Structure formats: structure tokens, C-alpha cells
Amino acid sequence: MNRWDDIVEVPLPLPFPLKIIKSYLIKGSGGYTIVDAGLHYRGDLEAWEDARRSVGFAWPDVEQIVLTHYHPDHYGLAGWLQQQTGAPVKLSRTDFKQASLFWNNDSEQPEIMGRYFAEHGLDAETAAKIPEHLRSFVKWVEPHPEPEYIAAGQQIRLGDRSYRILHTPGHADGHLSFYDEDRKWLIGGDFLLPRITPNISLWPGCDPDPLGTYLHTLEEMDKLAVAKVFPSHGSAFETYHERIDELKRHHRERLDRMKEWTRGEGITAMEVCNRVFGNDLSIHNLRFALAETLAHLEYLHRRGELVKEKRGNHWTYRLA
């Protein structure tokens, strides 16, 4: 575990391709703050027990659990941790609603997503697997926490220091980051990662233009003076503005490639997805790849650069 002053990095294993999420444990005079929880599965339960022994704290010493967003690797263990610690779980109102949308047992979102992907060219056999795949995550996020809501513009005490809460959407609609103005340190969740590009996905019932939102977030956050970023995946890094520039360039290059592929009579999102990501993806990776492809195509469509048309049962995109 790496340590910086009052912050301890806690790596938690994941049973899917990201492999590891970095949680952060922040020590204060009133106890410890946990930022992001991990999944409710054996690997993360064991990792937290190892961290507890290594750092030397008991569960009642945790004074709060703060979440950057609702995705399972961040949100999943929050309810269990709340039961052990008695501490409040704090996140944005938007992301708690989306946690319910995606991970409640009675939600129809899995079926909606299967039909949505089928309309964009996913074959019927694979689309039929989407609901079961999504519901396989429910076991990793139960029990749900009883939340307290926090919002951008507020100050929050993490340890003994005050952090400004920033709304950094794109990867998730209600994504929050936490900024220590004195040290210029940013606890950024999945907003900005040092090696991989945060997944920007279009999901039914959520932000209809997530890539536009994310690019706007990058522009706004580029105005902030940041000396060190504590990300959820990868090591803490200091090349903040350079990384923002790299991500803006990455998305612009991908948009340009997609525009070239849409010349002519039109193409489905699934066909574009296969060109970008290949056609030999697991159901897990395919779900994210197709949703990210849709985020880019809808970005272009909403700005008048692509025409979107229904042909038979499928939506197609072509260059305007």
C-alpha cells in the first residue's frame, strides 16, 4: 500500500478485466474516511481485512464512506461497510438513483438494454444474454447502503482537511471528485486515469450525450491547478494537464475515424464497434465497447455531423 501524508492507497482486486480498483483511506483526528468501497466479493473482503491489520484500525474507527460514483467496483461494498462501521455513506443523489436503476432486483433496465443494443445491430442471440449478464452484478452490490447525499459546490472534510466537491460527469452522470485546494490534490475516481481512457458509455435512461458531457468536463477541469491526482485505476500521477490533452486528442481521433466509416449508405453502431474494438469480445467487454461506440456516434449525430435513420429493425448512421 502506498502512502502520502494522511492518505493510504488500498488496492482491491476485481474479478473482471480492470483487475484492481484503488480505494483510499484517509486518517483524521475523528477517525478514518474510506473513499470508494470495492465489490462485495471475497477478494475485496480479504483485501480490506489485510488493510485493516496493516494500518491498524477497527471498523468502528471509520467515520464515513464517500463514493465517487455508482459503478459496482466503487459502490458495491458500501452497504456492507456501512453495516460493519455504522458510518454514513455519502454520494451524489444522481448516482444513488442510477445504482437503483442498474442494480435493483426489480429493475427492468437489463431487458431495456438488451433491446436497445439489438436495435443498434447486436445479434439477437447475444442481445438475449445482456439481462442475465447485468443481473450477475447484483450479488456484488448488495446490501445497498442508506445514503446521505452530497453535491458539487459543497465542502467535505476528509480526514482533517477540507475538500471542495466537484461534479465531474461523463463516465457517470453524478460522478464526484474531491479537491484539496491547499495541496492541489485531486481524488478523482474514474474522471481521469493515467494509462487507460475512462469508459464513456451511452446507457438508456441516462445522459443522452455522455461524450459531450465528458469533453465539457475536461475543458472545465483543465482550468484547475492540480499537483497530484489519486485515480481509481493506476498509480497516483502529476501530469494532470498533459493527461487531459491526451484524452481530448484520443476522442477527437476516434470521432474522425468513425466519421470516415459512415460515408455511404450508413452503418450500425455494432459494425462501427467491431471496427474499433474487434469482434471477439466477452459479453462484459462487448457491453462497454458498444455503449462507448454509441456515445461517440450520438455525439456526432447531435452536432449534425451524422444522420441517424431506422432501416428495418436497426438504427444506422451515415455522414451528413
Side-chain angles (χ1 to χ4, degrees):
M1 294 185 295
N2 294 315
R3 304 178 186 227
W4 303 266
D5 295 345
D6 56 336
I7 298 178
V8 178
E9 175 192 272
V10 182
L12 304 171
L14 299 173
F16 42 76
L18 280 174
K19 301 298 184 186
I20 290 175
I21 177 178
K22 303 290 181 66
S23 179
Y24 294 96
L25 188 65
I26 305 175
K27 185 178 181 179
S29 55
Y32 290 87
T33 293
I34 291 172
V35 179
D36 288 335
L39 283 178
H40 191 177
Y41 98 114
R42 181 176 177 179
D44 286 5
L45 293 171
E46 292 174 351
W48 271 117
E49 285 301 322
D50 290 343
R52 205 166 59 79
R53 287 190 293 269
S54 176
V55 174
F57 71 96
W59 287 128
D61 298 332
V62 174
E63 59 174 335
Q64 61 181 345
I65 299 146
V66 178
L67 307 181
T68 58
H69 62 294
Y70 78 94
H71 292 162
D73 50 333
H74 299 254
Y75 172 92
L77 201 52
W80 184 88
L81 286 170
Q82 187 172 49
Q83 291 178 345
Q84 309 312 305
T85 63
V89 172
K90 301 178 181 180
L91 76 164
S92 70
R93 183 183 297 271
T94 295
D95 267 33
F96 185 68
K97 287 182 178 178
Q98 293 196 345
S100 301
L101 176 67
F102 279 85
W103 315 125
N104 276 4
N105 278 308
D106 59 355
S107 174
E108 295 181 2
Q109 182 73 348
E111 285 74 25
I112 291 170
M113 282 180 57
R115 293 192 295 269
Y116 179 69
F117 285 165
E119 288 182 343
H120 286 280
L122 183 62
D123 67 272
E125 182 180 354
T126 306
K129 297 177 182 177
I130 292 293
E132 181 181 358
H133 169 66
L134 269 176
R135 287 204 164 89
S136 72
F137 284 79
V138 170
K139 64 181 180 295
W140 288 331
V141 302
E142 291 182 330
H144 289 273
E146 296 181 8
E148 293 183 10
Y149 298 125
I150 53 177
Q154 298 174 346
Q155 297 288 130
I156 187 170
R157 184 177 56 80
L158 305 180
D160 290 331
R161 304 185 70 89
S162 180
Y163 286 72
R164 180 153 52 104
I165 302 176
L166 305 173
H167 185 208
T168 48
H171 178 70
D173 294 0
H175 192 294
L176 300 176
S177 298
F178 306 98
Y179 181 58
D180 180 338
E181 299 192 55
D182 293 332
R183 296 187 292 194
K184 296 181 172 55
W185 286 7
L186 181 75
I187 300 175
D190 284 352
F191 152 63
L192 197 69
L193 306 176
R195 293 187 177 275
I196 62 174
T197 57
N199 179 262
I200 309 299
S201 286
L202 179 60
W203 307 116
C206 300
D207 184 349
D209 185 23
L211 181 58
T213 297
Y214 184 62
L215 293 175
H216 177 72
T217 297
L218 290 176
E219 290 289 346
E220 291 299 306
M221 291 293 286
D222 203 13
K223 302 171 185 177
L224 198 67
V226 174
K228 188 182 291 292
V229 182
F230 297 89
S232 293
H233 306 284
S235 301
F237 64 101
E238 299 175 356
T239 53
Y240 175 74
H241 297 288
E242 294 89 338
R243 187 58 180 148
I244 287 177
D245 288 342
E246 289 171 0
L247 289 175
K248 288 192 290 187
R249 185 165 59 250
H250 161 81
H251 287 293
R252 175 46 56 192
E253 290 172 353
R254 178 164 288 177
L255 289 166
D256 288 344
R257 288 201 307 276
M258 289 186 179
K259 283 173 65 176
E260 286 298 314
W261 295 333
T262 59
R263 292 184 184 276
E265 294 186 355
I267 188 171
T268 66
M270 191 65 238
E271 290 172 306
V272 176
C273 179
N274 287 338
R275 293 192 184 190
V276 177
F277 298 101
N279 55 9
D280 188 28
L281 299 175
S282 68
I283 189 74
H284 179 85
N285 288 340
L286 174 60
R287 176 165 62 90
F288 286 106
L290 182 52
E292 177 145 338
T293 300
L294 281 162
H296 285 74
L297 292 172
E298 282 295 312
Y299 175 90
L300 293 168
H301 167 59
R302 286 175 168 270
R303 284 151 186 81
E305 297 184 59
L306 295 183
V307 175
K308 181 181 180 182
E309 299 171 319
K310 195 75 174 283
R311 293 191 177 182
N313 296 324
H314 297 150
W315 289 103
T316 63
Y317 297 85
R318 61 176 174 85
L319 198 62

